Amino acid sequence: MQVDDRPPSAPSRAELEAEKRARDVIARFARELGARLPFSGDRERIEELEREVRPAVASLDLALAVEVAGDEASFAHHEGLAMIHLLGRRAAELDVSPFAAAQLVPALAAAFEGALPARFVSLLGATCIEGFVRGREEVVEGRARRRAAEGLPSLRIAPTCQVLVLAGDVEADAIEARGQAFARELFAAEAASAVLDLSRLVALDRPMAGALAEAVTSARVIGVTCHLSGVDEARRALLGDFGFAPEQLHARFDDALRAALDVAGLEVRPKGGLRRLLGR
């Protein structure tokens, strides 16, 4: 394999001029936006929004310099729309207010000093707000998933055996996060075995199965053997693809618990109408 050790070519005059125009537009954008935002929390995001607006500025500058030639219709298919949509999404991720999001395109239009066609500015504004709404939905859903992951309960069944209940409509990232936390709990408890109950999961797909495999691997590293309950035939086949042994997978919680207690040197015995955990 040959390595090209030639020095990079110097930027052309046109590239240097485009970069200067972009810097000037972004600087004006920051000033315009700052003048429009009454809330200090939004103003604190201006520096970050300057970085996020750069791709949109570059795209719109290229449209003005090369493609438009006075034809507003050519804007409608330009990547500048996509960049503005992404700007709206990033504004949501930065947790700016809806009012601030609505000021992004007016500030950008002012920064271009009237060069953007008025009808296209309206289209950009609608696109930006659409991106902001989509981004806000993702932020809210992400927070809900994190809360759901944090709320997945674990409990100690015996001194060296614990259970994690995975329930609801959670996703792979939630299982991954909760699995990592559960591994730390197992380490702190000096556990020998654990049960991961899947019976209350709404669904189990391949990313979720992969996250479960990572959680079980983390437990194995610290010497903990895991058994899974709530595993029907479809889930058994899926989990088998991720390296789970058949003896780890159980349809019933009782069977998984019995196997996990066996690893921990314990067993369940009926006594006086109650089920107690007794050491052998």
Side-chain angles (χ1 to χ4, degrees):
M1 179 178 179
Q2 293 184 338
V3 177
D4 188 352
D5 56 358
R6 292 175 297 179
S9 59
S12 66
R13 179 177 178 181
E15 290 171 334
L16 291 173
E17 291 175 349
E19 177 61 25
K20 181 180 184 305
R21 286 196 305 273
R23 287 198 304 268
D24 292 343
V25 169
I26 292 170
R28 290 194 295 269
F29 167 79
R31 291 194 298 271
E32 289 285 343
L33 190 60
R36 296 163 186 266
L37 300 183
F39 306 122
S40 59
D42 290 334
R43 290 198 296 271
E44 290 171 0
R45 299 288 188 268
I46 290 177
E47 185 175 345
E48 293 170 280
L49 289 168
E50 283 184 76
R51 290 192 292 269
E52 298 299 333
V53 82
R54 175 172 288 275
V57 168
S59 180
L60 294 173
D61 181 69
L62 179 63
L64 288 169
V66 177
E67 296 185 13
V68 177
D71 180 12
E72 294 182 17
S74 64
F75 267 114
H77 302 288
H78 197 273
E79 68 175 9
L81 282 172
M83 296 300 102
I84 289 294
H85 189 275
L86 290 176
L87 176 63
R89 293 176 85 105
R90 282 295 295 143
E93 294 169 3
L94 293 172
D95 204 25
V96 306
S97 69
F99 177 83
Q103 302 308 308
L104 293 173
V105 168
L108 185 60
F112 271 98
E113 298 181 322
L116 298 175
R119 284 185 293 176
F120 185 62
V121 170
S122 298
L123 181 58
L124 288 176
T127 301
C128 184
I129 293 302
E130 180 186 8
F132 179 79
V133 171
R134 295 285 181 88
R136 179 63 68 183
E137 290 173 353
E138 292 175 356
V139 168
V140 171
E141 289 174 0
R143 289 173 180 169
R145 285 195 299 270
R146 287 192 294 272
R147 287 195 296 268
E150 293 166 358
L152 295 173
S154 60
L155 60 150
R156 181 178 294 187
I157 295 294
T160 55
C161 182
Q162 298 197 187
V163 172
L164 173 63
V165 179
L166 299 170
D169 187 13
V170 296
E171 295 188 2
D173 55 354
I175 292 176
E176 180 180 358
R178 188 62 183 92
Q180 291 173 355
F182 186 58
R184 293 191 292 270
E185 293 173 23
L186 295 172
F187 179 78
E190 299 182 348
S193 62
V195 175
L196 279 63
D197 181 37
L198 315 183
S199 61
R200 292 171 176 79
L201 278 179
V202 172
L204 179 65
D205 58 18
R206 294 191 69 84
M208 294 166 68
L212 283 171
E214 290 185 12
V216 170
T217 298
S218 297
R220 187 186 304 121
V221 167
I222 58 175
V224 177
T225 300
C226 292
H227 287 264
L228 280 62
S229 63
V231 180
D232 58 19
E233 288 305 314
R235 290 180 174 184
R236 180 178 294 272
L238 175 59
L239 292 168
D241 290 343
F242 287 85
F244 287 91
E247 58 269 21
Q248 288 180 280
L249 306 177
H250 308 269
R252 292 169 49 85
F253 178 80
D254 287 355
D255 294 334
L257 179 59
R258 187 174 294 107
L261 290 173
D262 184 66
V263 172
L266 301 167
E267 63 181 349
V268 179
R269 295 179 185 170
K271 184 174 181 179
L274 298 175
R275 299 170 74 87
R276 297 184 57 193
L277 300 174
L278 301 175
R280 288 177 177 171

